[in-house]
PDB file of all heavy atoms in Angstrom:
ATOM      1  N   SER U 257     -45.472  19.140  31.412  1.00 57.00           N
ATOM      2  CA  SER U 257     -44.776  20.071  32.371  1.00 57.00           C
ATOM      3  C   SER U 257     -45.789  20.988  33.112  1.00 57.00           C
ATOM      4  O   SER U 257     -45.456  21.702  34.100  1.00 57.00           O
ATOM      5  CB  SER U 257     -43.813  21.023  31.533  1.00 57.00           C
ATOM      6  OG  SER U 257     -44.573  21.724  30.584  1.00 57.00           O
ATOM      7  N   ASP U 258     -47.087  20.985  32.632  1.00 73.00           N
ATOM      8  CA  ASP U 258     -48.017  21.819  33.297  1.00 73.00           C
ATOM      9  C   ASP U 258     -48.891  21.134  34.370  1.00 73.00           C
ATOM     10  O   ASP U 258     -49.684  21.762  35.048  1.00 73.00           O
ATOM     11  CB  ASP U 258     -48.992  22.471  32.276  1.00 73.00           C
ATOM     12  CG  ASP U 258     -48.307  23.418  31.304  1.00 73.00           C
ATOM     13  OD1 ASP U 258     -47.268  23.944  31.761  1.00 73.00           O
ATOM     14  OD2 ASP U 258     -48.801  23.608  30.152  1.00 73.00           O
ATOM     15  N   LYS U 259     -48.726  19.842  34.405  1.00 84.00           N
ATOM     16  CA  LYS U 259     -49.445  19.038  35.368  1.00 84.00           C
ATOM     17  C   LYS U 259     -49.115  19.326  36.868  1.00 84.00           C
ATOM     18  O   LYS U 259     -47.916  19.484  37.153  1.00 84.00           O
ATOM     19  CB  LYS U 259     -49.321  17.547  35.085  1.00 84.00           C
ATOM     20  CG  LYS U 259     -49.985  17.038  33.868  1.00 84.00           C
ATOM     21  CD  LYS U 259     -49.929  15.575  33.619  1.00 84.00           C
ATOM     22  CE  LYS U 259     -50.596  15.153  32.384  1.00 84.00           C
ATOM     23  NZ  LYS U 259     -50.546  13.644  32.202  1.00 84.00           N
ATOM     24  N   THR U 260     -50.053  19.438  37.684  1.00 92.00           N
ATOM     25  CA  THR U 260     -49.748  19.782  39.186  1.00 92.00           C
ATOM     26  C   THR U 260     -50.046  18.465  40.044  1.00 92.00           C
ATOM     27  O   THR U 260     -50.888  17.673  39.674  1.00 92.00           O
ATOM     28  CB  THR U 260     -50.779  20.845  39.676  1.00 92.00           C
ATOM     29  OG1 THR U 260     -52.068  20.432  39.412  1.00 92.00           O
ATOM     30  CG2 THR U 260     -50.561  22.100  38.918  1.00 92.00           C
ATOM     31  N   THR U 261     -49.279  18.374  40.981  1.00 94.00           N
ATOM     32  CA  THR U 261     -49.395  17.238  41.931  1.00 94.00           C
ATOM     33  C   THR U 261     -49.532  17.748  43.342  1.00 94.00           C
ATOM     34  O   THR U 261     -48.714  18.622  43.731  1.00 94.00           O
ATOM     35  CB  THR U 261     -48.028  16.417  41.881  1.00 94.00           C
ATOM     36  OG1 THR U 261     -47.803  15.975  40.576  1.00 94.00           O
ATOM     37  CG2 THR U 261     -48.158  15.246  42.830  1.00 94.00           C
ATOM     38  N   LEU U 262     -50.617  17.390  43.930  1.00 96.00           N
ATOM     39  CA  LEU U 262     -50.967  17.788  45.274  1.00 96.00           C
ATOM     40  C   LEU U 262     -50.494  16.597  46.311  1.00 96.00           C
ATOM     41  O   LEU U 262     -50.800  15.490  46.118  1.00 96.00           O
ATOM     42  CB  LEU U 262     -52.415  18.028  45.472  1.00 96.00           C
ATOM     43  CG  LEU U 262     -52.906  18.388  46.923  1.00 96.00           C
ATOM     44  CD1 LEU U 262     -52.366  19.920  47.268  1.00 96.00           C
ATOM     45  CD2 LEU U 262     -54.378  18.414  47.017  1.00 96.00           C
ATOM     46  N   ILE U 263     -49.619  17.054  47.226  1.00 96.00           N
ATOM     47  CA  ILE U 263     -49.062  16.108  48.195  1.00 96.00           C
ATOM     48  C   ILE U 263     -49.529  16.452  49.613  1.00 96.00           C
ATOM     49  O   ILE U 263     -49.265  17.456  50.094  1.00 96.00           O
ATOM     50  CB  ILE U 263     -47.530  16.131  48.127  1.00 96.00           C
ATOM     51  CG1 ILE U 263     -47.038  15.810  46.780  1.00 96.00           C
ATOM     52  CG2 ILE U 263     -46.951  15.119  49.175  1.00 96.00           C
ATOM     53  CD1 ILE U 263     -45.521  16.023  46.514  1.00 96.00           C
ATOM     54  N   LEU U 264     -50.459  15.573  50.074  1.00 97.00           N
ATOM     55  CA  LEU U 264     -51.067  15.669  51.449  1.00 97.00           C
ATOM     56  C   LEU U 264     -50.243  14.741  52.238  1.00 97.00           C
ATOM     57  O   LEU U 264     -50.279  13.512  52.074  1.00 97.00           O
ATOM     58  CB  LEU U 264     -52.571  15.292  51.366  1.00 97.00           C
ATOM     59  CG  LEU U 264     -53.274  15.372  52.665  1.00 97.00           C
ATOM     60  CD1 LEU U 264     -53.230  16.760  53.314  1.00 97.00           C
ATOM     61  CD2 LEU U 264     -54.642  14.786  52.538  1.00 97.00           C
ATOM     62  N   HIS U 265     -49.645  15.310  53.252  1.00 97.00           N
ATOM     63  CA  HIS U 265     -48.681  14.482  54.120  1.00 97.00           C
ATOM     64  C   HIS U 265     -48.843  14.871  55.611  1.00 97.00           C
ATOM     65  O   HIS U 265     -49.339  15.975  55.925  1.00 97.00           O
ATOM     66  CB  HIS U 265     -47.243  14.728  53.653  1.00 97.00           C
ATOM     67  CG  HIS U 265     -46.694  16.101  53.781  1.00 97.00           C
ATOM     68  ND1 HIS U 265     -46.053  16.548  54.993  1.00 97.00           N
ATOM     69  CD2 HIS U 265     -46.791  17.236  52.991  1.00 97.00           C
ATOM     70  CE1 HIS U 265     -45.868  17.871  54.853  1.00 97.00           C
ATOM     71  NE2 HIS U 265     -46.246  18.208  53.613  1.00 97.00           N
ATOM     72  N   ASP U 266     -48.234  13.971  56.507  1.00 96.00           N
ATOM     73  CA  ASP U 266     -48.200  14.321  57.862  1.00 96.00           C
ATOM     74  C   ASP U 266     -46.696  14.317  58.415  1.00 96.00           C
ATOM     75  O   ASP U 266     -46.378  14.127  59.529  1.00 96.00           O
ATOM     76  CB  ASP U 266     -48.985  13.229  58.702  1.00 96.00           C
ATOM     77  CG  ASP U 266     -48.456  11.805  58.412  1.00 96.00           C
ATOM     78  OD1 ASP U 266     -47.532  11.651  57.677  1.00 96.00           O
ATOM     79  OD2 ASP U 266     -49.086  10.886  58.949  1.00 96.00           O
ATOM     80  N   LEU U 267     -45.814  14.800  57.438  1.00 95.00           N
ATOM     81  CA  LEU U 267     -44.364  14.757  57.771  1.00 95.00           C
ATOM     82  C   LEU U 267     -44.077  16.194  58.117  1.00 95.00           C
ATOM     83  O   LEU U 267     -44.881  17.191  58.135  1.00 95.00           O
ATOM     84  CB  LEU U 267     -43.635  14.438  56.570  1.00 95.00           C
ATOM     85  CG  LEU U 267     -43.895  13.018  55.848  1.00 95.00           C
ATOM     86  CD1 LEU U 267     -43.092  12.797  54.638  1.00 95.00           C
ATOM     87  CD2 LEU U 267     -43.591  11.874  56.882  1.00 95.00           C
ATOM     88  N   GLU U 268     -42.778  16.363  58.526  1.00 94.00           N
ATOM     89  CA  GLU U 268     -42.281  17.798  58.738  1.00 94.00           C
ATOM     90  C   GLU U 268     -42.164  18.375  57.338  1.00 94.00           C
ATOM     91  O   GLU U 268     -41.818  17.714  56.386  1.00 94.00           O
ATOM     92  CB  GLU U 268     -40.927  17.722  59.422  1.00 94.00           C
ATOM     93  CG  GLU U 268     -40.977  17.327  60.859  1.00 94.00           C
ATOM     94  CD  GLU U 268     -41.708  18.270  61.704  1.00 94.00           C
ATOM     95  OE1 GLU U 268     -41.704  19.556  61.395  1.00 94.00           O
ATOM     96  OE2 GLU U 268     -42.323  17.910  62.634  1.00 94.00           O
ATOM     97  N   PRO U 269     -42.562  19.672  57.178  1.00 94.00           N
ATOM     98  CA  PRO U 269     -42.600  20.343  55.818  1.00 94.00           C
ATOM     99  C   PRO U 269     -41.287  20.168  55.094  1.00 94.00           C
ATOM    100  O   PRO U 269     -41.249  19.797  53.833  1.00 94.00           O
ATOM    101  CB  PRO U 269     -42.896  21.844  56.160  1.00 94.00           C
ATOM    102  CG  PRO U 269     -43.639  21.733  57.425  1.00 94.00           C
ATOM    103  CD  PRO U 269     -43.059  20.566  58.211  1.00 94.00           C
ATOM    104  N   GLU U 270     -40.135  20.354  55.750  1.00 94.00           N
ATOM    105  CA  GLU U 270     -38.873  20.257  55.029  1.00 94.00           C
ATOM    106  C   GLU U 270     -38.641  18.780  54.541  1.00 94.00           C
ATOM    107  O   GLU U 270     -38.010  18.538  53.514  1.00 94.00           O
ATOM    108  CB  GLU U 270     -37.768  20.720  55.892  1.00 94.00           C
ATOM    109  CG  GLU U 270     -37.685  22.268  56.108  1.00 94.00           C
ATOM    110  CD  GLU U 270     -37.587  22.958  54.766  1.00 94.00           C
ATOM    111  OE1 GLU U 270     -36.866  22.530  53.873  1.00 94.00           O
ATOM    112  OE2 GLU U 270     -38.362  24.008  54.654  1.00 94.00           O
ATOM    113  N   ALA U 271     -39.008  17.776  55.457  1.00 94.00           N
ATOM    114  CA  ALA U 271     -38.794  16.449  55.148  1.00 94.00           C
ATOM    115  C   ALA U 271     -39.609  16.010  53.933  1.00 94.00           C
ATOM    116  O   ALA U 271     -39.119  15.319  52.990  1.00 94.00           O
ATOM    117  CB  ALA U 271     -39.158  15.549  56.243  1.00 94.00           C
ATOM    118  N   ALA U 272     -40.834  16.617  53.752  1.00 94.00           N
ATOM    119  CA  ALA U 272     -41.709  16.298  52.624  1.00 94.00           C
ATOM    120  C   ALA U 272     -41.152  16.842  51.372  1.00 94.00           C
ATOM    121  O   ALA U 272     -41.030  16.240  50.246  1.00 94.00           O
ATOM    122  CB  ALA U 272     -43.087  16.839  52.901  1.00 94.00           C
ATOM    123  N   ARG U 273     -40.666  18.059  51.502  1.00 94.00           N
ATOM    124  CA  ARG U 273     -40.020  18.660  50.214  1.00 94.00           C
ATOM    125  C   ARG U 273     -38.744  17.995  49.800  1.00 94.00           C
ATOM    126  O   ARG U 273     -38.450  17.911  48.604  1.00 94.00           O
ATOM    127  CB  ARG U 273     -39.731  20.173  50.529  1.00 94.00           C
ATOM    128  CG  ARG U 273     -40.969  20.979  50.685  1.00 94.00           C
ATOM    129  CD  ARG U 273     -40.704  22.422  50.960  1.00 94.00           C
ATOM    130  NE  ARG U 273     -41.953  23.184  51.200  1.00 94.00           N
ATOM    131  CZ  ARG U 273     -42.803  23.650  50.306  1.00 94.00           C
ATOM    132  NH1 ARG U 273     -42.493  23.348  48.985  1.00 94.00           N
ATOM    133  NH2 ARG U 273     -43.827  24.274  50.552  1.00 94.00           N
ATOM    134  N   ASN U 274     -37.955  17.462  50.707  1.00 94.00           N
ATOM    135  CA  ASN U 274     -36.817  16.688  50.448  1.00 94.00           C
ATOM    136  C   ASN U 274     -37.232  15.417  49.791  1.00 94.00           C
ATOM    137  O   ASN U 274     -36.575  14.979  48.728  1.00 94.00           O
ATOM    138  CB  ASN U 274     -35.996  16.441  51.618  1.00 94.00           C
ATOM    139  CG  ASN U 274     -34.734  15.699  51.387  1.00 94.00           C
ATOM    140  OD1 ASN U 274     -33.956  16.077  50.501  1.00 94.00           O
ATOM    141  ND2 ASN U 274     -34.560  14.599  52.148  1.00 94.00           N
ATOM    142  N   VAL U 275     -38.239  14.707  50.200  1.00 93.00           N
ATOM    143  CA  VAL U 275     -38.589  13.425  49.617  1.00 93.00           C
ATOM    144  C   VAL U 275     -39.110  13.505  48.212  1.00 93.00           C
ATOM    145  O   VAL U 275     -38.849  12.751  47.306  1.00 93.00           O
ATOM    146  CB  VAL U 275     -39.670  12.697  50.554  1.00 93.00           C
ATOM    147  CG1 VAL U 275     -40.179  11.557  49.914  1.00 93.00           C
ATOM    148  CG2 VAL U 275     -39.072  12.335  51.965  1.00 93.00           C
ATOM    149  N   PHE U 276     -39.916  14.533  48.006  1.00 94.00           N
ATOM    150  CA  PHE U 276     -40.498  14.764  46.690  1.00 94.00           C
ATOM    151  C   PHE U 276     -39.886  15.898  45.896  1.00 94.00           C
ATOM    152  O   PHE U 276     -40.524  16.613  45.152  1.00 94.00           O
ATOM    153  CB  PHE U 276     -42.017  15.025  46.871  1.00 94.00           C
ATOM    154  CG  PHE U 276     -42.685  13.772  47.392  1.00 94.00           C
ATOM    155  CD1 PHE U 276     -43.112  13.824  48.859  1.00 94.00           C
ATOM    156  CD2 PHE U 276     -43.122  12.691  46.682  1.00 94.00           C
ATOM    157  CE1 PHE U 276     -43.726  12.759  49.375  1.00 94.00           C
ATOM    158  CE2 PHE U 276     -43.819  11.642  47.253  1.00 94.00           C
ATOM    159  CZ  PHE U 276     -44.051  11.700  48.588  1.00 94.00           C
ATOM    160  N   SER U 277     -38.572  16.117  46.025  1.00 91.00           N
ATOM    161  CA  SER U 277     -37.895  17.301  45.363  1.00 91.00           C
ATOM    162  C   SER U 277     -37.852  17.093  43.887  1.00 91.00           C
ATOM    163  O   SER U 277     -37.750  18.055  43.120  1.00 91.00           O
ATOM    164  CB  SER U 277     -36.534  17.416  45.921  1.00 91.00           C
ATOM    165  OG  SER U 277     -35.817  16.269  45.712  1.00 91.00           O
ATOM    166  N   ASN U 278     -37.972  15.844  43.371  1.00 89.00           N
ATOM    167  CA  ASN U 278     -37.897  15.590  41.866  1.00 89.00           C
ATOM    168  C   ASN U 278     -39.259  15.853  41.232  1.00 89.00           C
ATOM    169  O   ASN U 278     -39.328  15.619  40.014  1.00 89.00           O
ATOM    170  CB  ASN U 278     -37.346  14.232  41.664  1.00 89.00           C
ATOM    171  CG  ASN U 278     -35.915  14.083  42.132  1.00 89.00           C
ATOM    172  OD1 ASN U 278     -35.160  15.040  42.153  1.00 89.00           O
ATOM    173  ND2 ASN U 278     -35.525  12.905  42.505  1.00 89.00           N
ATOM    174  N   ILE U 279     -40.352  16.070  41.933  1.00 91.00           N
ATOM    175  CA  ILE U 279     -41.600  16.152  41.317  1.00 91.00           C
ATOM    176  C   ILE U 279     -41.876  17.674  40.917  1.00 91.00           C
ATOM    177  O   ILE U 279     -41.946  18.488  41.905  1.00 91.00           O
ATOM    178  CB  ILE U 279     -42.756  15.683  42.178  1.00 91.00           C
ATOM    179  CG1 ILE U 279     -42.550  14.211  42.491  1.00 91.00           C
ATOM    180  CG2 ILE U 279     -44.112  15.904  41.618  1.00 91.00           C
ATOM    181  CD1 ILE U 279     -43.602  13.490  43.290  1.00 91.00           C
ATOM    182  N   PRO U 280     -41.991  17.916  39.684  1.00 88.00           N
ATOM    183  CA  PRO U 280     -42.292  19.367  39.223  1.00 88.00           C
ATOM    184  C   PRO U 280     -43.704  19.836  39.623  1.00 88.00           C
ATOM    185  O   PRO U 280     -44.668  18.978  39.685  1.00 88.00           O
ATOM    186  CB  PRO U 280     -42.048  19.404  37.769  1.00 88.00           C
ATOM    187  CG  PRO U 280     -42.339  17.957  37.366  1.00 88.00           C
ATOM    188  CD  PRO U 280     -41.998  17.094  38.485  1.00 88.00           C
ATOM    189  N   ASN U 281     -43.888  21.082  39.877  1.00 88.00           N
ATOM    190  CA  ASN U 281     -45.262  21.658  40.061  1.00 88.00           C
ATOM    191  C   ASN U 281     -45.910  20.958  41.226  1.00 88.00           C
ATOM    192  O   ASN U 281     -47.172  20.717  41.176  1.00 88.00           O
ATOM    193  CB  ASN U 281     -46.068  21.637  38.891  1.00 88.00           C
ATOM    194  CG  ASN U 281     -45.455  22.366  37.673  1.00 88.00           C
ATOM    195  OD1 ASN U 281     -44.862  23.392  37.881  1.00 88.00           O
ATOM    196  ND2 ASN U 281     -45.776  21.954  36.414  1.00 88.00           N
TER     197      ASN U 281
END
């Protein structure tokens, strides 16, 4: 639960958050 995931993307910010909404931290 403490692991962090960095997502580097070229999408619209809201679209990226919607796609990876199930990833914690």
Side-chain angles (χ1 to χ4, degrees):
S257 59
D258 295 334
K259 290 185 177 180
T260 57
T261 300
L262 181 67
I263 302 174
L264 176 64
H265 64 89
D266 57 4
L267 309 173
E268 291 295 327
E270 289 301 322
R273 294 183 182 277
N274 179 52
V275 170
F276 296 98
S277 58
N278 294 331
I279 296 182
N281 300 328

